[in-house]
Amino acid sequence: MADTTIFAPSRQANAPHDGKLVVAFICTHNSCRSQIAEALATDYARRGVPGFDRFTFVSAGTELKNAINPDAQRLLLERRGIDMAARGQRPKLIADIPRPDIAVSMGCGVRCPFIGRPFDADWGLDDPTGGTGEDFLRCIERIDSLVQHIPELYGRPSAQ
């Protein structure tokens, strides 16, 4: 049977990642929760938080919005000092990211697409889009608490 993955060869997908494991945060529109997860995890890696140096973090969706959710951007900048736009984050399709070693679904309430491998986790997060600032802050805090466990859950050397 032919490989039916939705990863297309692209310059980014073929880029080397210095031996790091690629963690992909997958959501329907790649405009809010998955972007928050990418931003927080990448921030930990950039700040040298132990264990995060073993990973490259990306996010993607099955469909795209035109931009990252402005409330998510504003609150991450105000509360965490993370400027997603300045760091080059943008909505991306699954075909635009490297093939992940670890795939995390944000819990979009829909059946996740086949991405060429099983998902390692479904975080079951409610989408704060259209909600209050407090809804966004709760979502950011929940994502942060989950992101912090990535090194202990997936950072061990492979047994292969």
PDB file of all heavy atoms in Angstrom, residues 22-41:
ATOM      1  N   VAL A  22      11.862  16.434  16.647  1.00  0.00           N
ATOM      2  CA  VAL A  22      10.883  17.430  16.226  1.00  0.00           C
ATOM      3  C   VAL A  22       9.557  17.133  16.925  1.00  0.00           C
ATOM      4  O   VAL A  22       8.993  16.052  16.784  1.00  0.00           O
ATOM      5  CB  VAL A  22      10.694  17.422  14.696  1.00  0.00           C
ATOM      6  CG1 VAL A  22       9.576  18.380  14.287  1.00  0.00           C
ATOM      7  CG2 VAL A  22      12.004  17.778  14.001  1.00  0.00           C
ATOM      8  N   VAL A  23       9.097  18.113  17.711  1.00  0.00           N
ATOM      9  CA  VAL A  23       7.801  18.034  18.377  1.00  0.00           C
ATOM     10  C   VAL A  23       6.849  18.932  17.604  1.00  0.00           C
ATOM     11  O   VAL A  23       7.109  20.127  17.448  1.00  0.00           O
ATOM     12  CB  VAL A  23       7.871  18.505  19.847  1.00  0.00           C
ATOM     13  CG1 VAL A  23       6.492  18.470  20.489  1.00  0.00           C
ATOM     14  CG2 VAL A  23       8.855  17.662  20.630  1.00  0.00           C
ATOM     15  N   ALA A  24       5.751  18.352  17.123  1.00  0.00           N
ATOM     16  CA  ALA A  24       4.751  19.117  16.372  1.00  0.00           C
ATOM     17  C   ALA A  24       3.471  19.222  17.182  1.00  0.00           C
ATOM     18  O   ALA A  24       2.928  18.210  17.639  1.00  0.00           O
ATOM     19  CB  ALA A  24       4.466  18.440  15.035  1.00  0.00           C
ATOM     20  N   PHE A  25       3.004  20.436  17.346  1.00  0.00           N
ATOM     21  CA  PHE A  25       1.726  20.715  17.991  1.00  0.00           C
ATOM     22  C   PHE A  25       0.719  20.923  16.866  1.00  0.00           C
ATOM     23  O   PHE A  25       0.864  21.852  16.060  1.00  0.00           O
ATOM     24  CB  PHE A  25       1.823  21.957  18.876  1.00  0.00           C
ATOM     25  CG  PHE A  25       2.876  21.838  19.946  1.00  0.00           C
ATOM     26  CD1 PHE A  25       4.065  22.533  19.846  1.00  0.00           C
ATOM     27  CD2 PHE A  25       2.666  21.026  21.056  1.00  0.00           C
ATOM     28  CE1 PHE A  25       5.038  22.442  20.834  1.00  0.00           C
ATOM     29  CE2 PHE A  25       3.636  20.909  22.047  1.00  0.00           C
ATOM     30  CZ  PHE A  25       4.820  21.620  21.933  1.00  0.00           C
ATOM     31  N   ILE A  26      -0.291  20.060  16.801  1.00  0.00           N
ATOM     32  CA  ILE A  26      -1.224  20.046  15.681  1.00  0.00           C
ATOM     33  C   ILE A  26      -2.614  20.474  16.145  1.00  0.00           C
ATOM     34  O   ILE A  26      -3.134  19.969  17.143  1.00  0.00           O
ATOM     35  CB  ILE A  26      -1.314  18.633  15.052  1.00  0.00           C
ATOM     36  CG1 ILE A  26       0.083  18.085  14.710  1.00  0.00           C
ATOM     37  CG2 ILE A  26      -2.246  18.643  13.842  1.00  0.00           C
ATOM     38  CD1 ILE A  26       0.836  18.838  13.652  1.00  0.00           C
ATOM     39  N   CYS A  27      -3.200  21.394  15.394  1.00  0.00           N
ATOM     40  CA  CYS A  27      -4.536  21.891  15.677  1.00  0.00           C
ATOM     41  C   CYS A  27      -5.229  22.157  14.340  1.00  0.00           C
ATOM     42  O   CYS A  27      -4.572  22.185  13.304  1.00  0.00           O
ATOM     43  CB  CYS A  27      -4.433  23.165  16.506  1.00  0.00           C
ATOM     44  SG  CYS A  27      -5.922  23.570  17.406  1.00  0.00           S
ATOM     45  N   THR A  28      -6.503  22.360  14.364  1.00  0.00           N
ATOM     46  CA  THR A  28      -7.237  22.550  13.118  1.00  0.00           C
ATOM     47  C   THR A  28      -6.714  23.744  12.322  1.00  0.00           C
ATOM     48  O   THR A  28      -6.295  23.601  11.186  1.00  0.00           O
ATOM     49  CB  THR A  28      -8.743  22.712  13.383  1.00  0.00           C
ATOM     50  OG1 THR A  28      -9.211  21.571  14.092  1.00  0.00           O
ATOM     51  CG2 THR A  28      -9.514  22.840  12.081  1.00  0.00           C
ATOM     52  N   HIS A  29      -6.725  24.936  12.899  1.00  0.00           N
ATOM     53  CA  HIS A  29      -6.394  26.150  12.149  1.00  0.00           C
ATOM     54  C   HIS A  29      -4.988  26.684  12.394  1.00  0.00           C
ATOM     55  O   HIS A  29      -4.593  27.650  11.760  1.00  0.00           O
ATOM     56  CB  HIS A  29      -7.403  27.256  12.464  1.00  0.00           C
ATOM     57  CG  HIS A  29      -8.769  26.924  12.025  1.00  0.00           C
ATOM     58  ND1 HIS A  29      -9.812  26.775  12.906  1.00  0.00           N
ATOM     59  CD2 HIS A  29      -9.287  26.671  10.803  1.00  0.00           C
ATOM     60  CE1 HIS A  29     -10.902  26.469  12.254  1.00  0.00           C
ATOM     61  NE2 HIS A  29     -10.622  26.389  10.975  1.00  0.00           N
ATOM     62  N   ASN A  30      -4.270  26.128  13.324  1.00  0.00           N
ATOM     63  CA  ASN A  30      -2.922  26.596  13.666  1.00  0.00           C
ATOM     64  C   ASN A  30      -2.906  28.110  13.881  1.00  0.00           C
ATOM     65  O   ASN A  30      -2.082  28.821  13.356  1.00  0.00           O
ATOM     66  CB  ASN A  30      -1.918  26.178  12.598  1.00  0.00           C
ATOM     67  CG  ASN A  30      -0.474  26.452  13.001  1.00  0.00           C
ATOM     68  OD1 ASN A  30       0.313  26.943  12.211  1.00  0.00           O
ATOM     69  ND2 ASN A  30      -0.095  26.142  14.221  1.00  0.00           N
ATOM     70  N   SER A  31      -3.875  28.558  14.695  1.00  0.00           N
ATOM     71  CA  SER A  31      -3.949  29.996  14.934  1.00  0.00           C
ATOM     72  C   SER A  31      -3.958  30.362  16.413  1.00  0.00           C
ATOM     73  O   SER A  31      -3.772  31.529  16.744  1.00  0.00           O
ATOM     74  CB  SER A  31      -5.193  30.588  14.266  1.00  0.00           C
ATOM     75  OG  SER A  31      -6.354  30.050  14.852  1.00  0.00           O
ATOM     76  N   CYS A  32      -4.119  29.378  17.300  1.00  0.00           N
ATOM     77  CA  CYS A  32      -4.208  29.740  18.711  1.00  0.00           C
ATOM     78  C   CYS A  32      -3.456  28.733  19.592  1.00  0.00           C
ATOM     79  O   CYS A  32      -2.299  28.944  19.925  1.00  0.00           O
ATOM     80  CB  CYS A  32      -5.676  29.854  19.122  1.00  0.00           C
ATOM     81  SG  CYS A  32      -5.909  30.596  20.743  1.00  0.00           S
ATOM     82  N   ARG A  33      -4.102  27.633  19.983  1.00  0.00           N
ATOM     83  CA  ARG A  33      -3.503  26.708  20.955  1.00  0.00           C
ATOM     84  C   ARG A  33      -2.174  26.125  20.499  1.00  0.00           C
ATOM     85  O   ARG A  33      -1.203  26.093  21.260  1.00  0.00           O
ATOM     86  CB  ARG A  33      -4.491  25.580  21.286  1.00  0.00           C
ATOM     87  CG  ARG A  33      -5.714  26.078  22.004  1.00  0.00           C
ATOM     88  CD  ARG A  33      -6.816  25.062  21.987  1.00  0.00           C
ATOM     89  NE  ARG A  33      -7.292  24.978  20.599  1.00  0.00           N
ATOM     90  CZ  ARG A  33      -8.146  24.068  20.166  1.00  0.00           C
ATOM     91  NH1 ARG A  33      -8.614  23.150  20.975  1.00  0.00           N
ATOM     92  NH2 ARG A  33      -8.549  24.072  18.909  1.00  0.00           N
ATOM     93  N   SER A  34      -2.110  25.653  19.270  1.00  0.00           N
ATOM     94  CA  SER A  34      -0.858  25.069  18.787  1.00  0.00           C
ATOM     95  C   SER A  34       0.235  26.128  18.685  1.00  0.00           C
ATOM     96  O   SER A  34       1.403  25.854  18.955  1.00  0.00           O
ATOM     97  CB  SER A  34      -1.071  24.380  17.438  1.00  0.00           C
ATOM     98  OG  SER A  34      -1.661  25.261  16.498  1.00  0.00           O
ATOM     99  N   GLN A  35      -0.138  27.349  18.330  1.00  0.00           N
ATOM    100  CA  GLN A  35       0.833  28.442  18.268  1.00  0.00           C
ATOM    101  C   GLN A  35       1.339  28.802  19.664  1.00  0.00           C
ATOM    102  O   GLN A  35       2.528  29.067  19.851  1.00  0.00           O
ATOM    103  CB  GLN A  35       0.198  29.677  17.610  1.00  0.00           C
ATOM    104  CG  GLN A  35      -0.099  29.499  16.140  1.00  0.00           C
ATOM    105  CD  GLN A  35       1.127  29.598  15.256  1.00  0.00           C
ATOM    106  OE1 GLN A  35       2.223  29.951  15.696  1.00  0.00           O
ATOM    107  NE2 GLN A  35       0.953  29.293  13.979  1.00  0.00           N
ATOM    108  N   ILE A  36       0.440  28.814  20.641  1.00  0.00           N
ATOM    109  CA  ILE A  36       0.839  29.085  22.028  1.00  0.00           C
ATOM    110  C   ILE A  36       1.829  28.016  22.496  1.00  0.00           C
ATOM    111  O   ILE A  36       2.859  28.330  23.093  1.00  0.00           O
ATOM    112  CB  ILE A  36      -0.389  29.143  22.955  1.00  0.00           C
ATOM    113  CG1 ILE A  36      -1.258  30.370  22.635  1.00  0.00           C
ATOM    114  CG2 ILE A  36       0.031  29.138  24.425  1.00  0.00           C
ATOM    115  CD1 ILE A  36      -2.637  30.356  23.300  1.00  0.00           C
ATOM    116  N   ALA A  37       1.522  26.751  22.200  1.00  0.00           N
ATOM    117  CA  ALA A  37       2.407  25.655  22.611  1.00  0.00           C
ATOM    118  C   ALA A  37       3.779  25.792  21.965  1.00  0.00           C
ATOM    119  O   ALA A  37       4.812  25.649  22.636  1.00  0.00           O
ATOM    120  CB  ALA A  37       1.776  24.311  22.256  1.00  0.00           C
ATOM    121  N   GLU A  38       3.811  26.086  20.677  1.00  0.00           N
ATOM    122  CA  GLU A  38       5.094  26.279  19.988  1.00  0.00           C
ATOM    123  C   GLU A  38       5.876  27.431  20.621  1.00  0.00           C
ATOM    124  O   GLU A  38       7.080  27.312  20.873  1.00  0.00           O
ATOM    125  CB  GLU A  38       4.869  26.568  18.502  1.00  0.00           C
ATOM    126  CG  GLU A  38       6.146  26.841  17.741  1.00  0.00           C
ATOM    127  CD  GLU A  38       5.940  27.208  16.282  1.00  0.00           C
ATOM    128  OE1 GLU A  38       4.794  27.210  15.785  1.00  0.00           O
ATOM    129  OE2 GLU A  38       6.957  27.517  15.633  1.00  0.00           O
ATOM    130  N   ALA A  39       5.189  28.532  20.895  1.00  0.00           N
ATOM    131  CA  ALA A  39       5.857  29.708  21.459  1.00  0.00           C
ATOM    132  C   ALA A  39       6.426  29.421  22.841  1.00  0.00           C
ATOM    133  O   ALA A  39       7.574  29.779  23.136  1.00  0.00           O
ATOM    134  CB  ALA A  39       4.881  30.885  21.524  1.00  0.00           C
ATOM    135  N   LEU A  40       5.642  28.783  23.704  1.00  0.00           N
ATOM    136  CA  LEU A  40       6.111  28.496  25.064  1.00  0.00           C
ATOM    137  C   LEU A  40       7.271  27.510  25.061  1.00  0.00           C
ATOM    138  O   LEU A  40       8.292  27.720  25.735  1.00  0.00           O
ATOM    139  CB  LEU A  40       4.960  27.975  25.922  1.00  0.00           C
ATOM    140  CG  LEU A  40       3.876  28.996  26.266  1.00  0.00           C
ATOM    141  CD1 LEU A  40       2.661  28.292  26.871  1.00  0.00           C
ATOM    142  CD2 LEU A  40       4.405  30.059  27.207  1.00  0.00           C
ATOM    143  N   ALA A  41       7.134  26.423  24.293  1.00  0.00           N
ATOM    144  CA  ALA A  41       8.190  25.411  24.255  1.00  0.00           C
ATOM    145  C   ALA A  41       9.480  25.985  23.668  1.00  0.00           C
ATOM    146  O   ALA A  41      10.573  25.752  24.193  1.00  0.00           O
ATOM    147  CB  ALA A  41       7.722  24.206  23.446  1.00  0.00           C
TER     148      ALA A  41
END
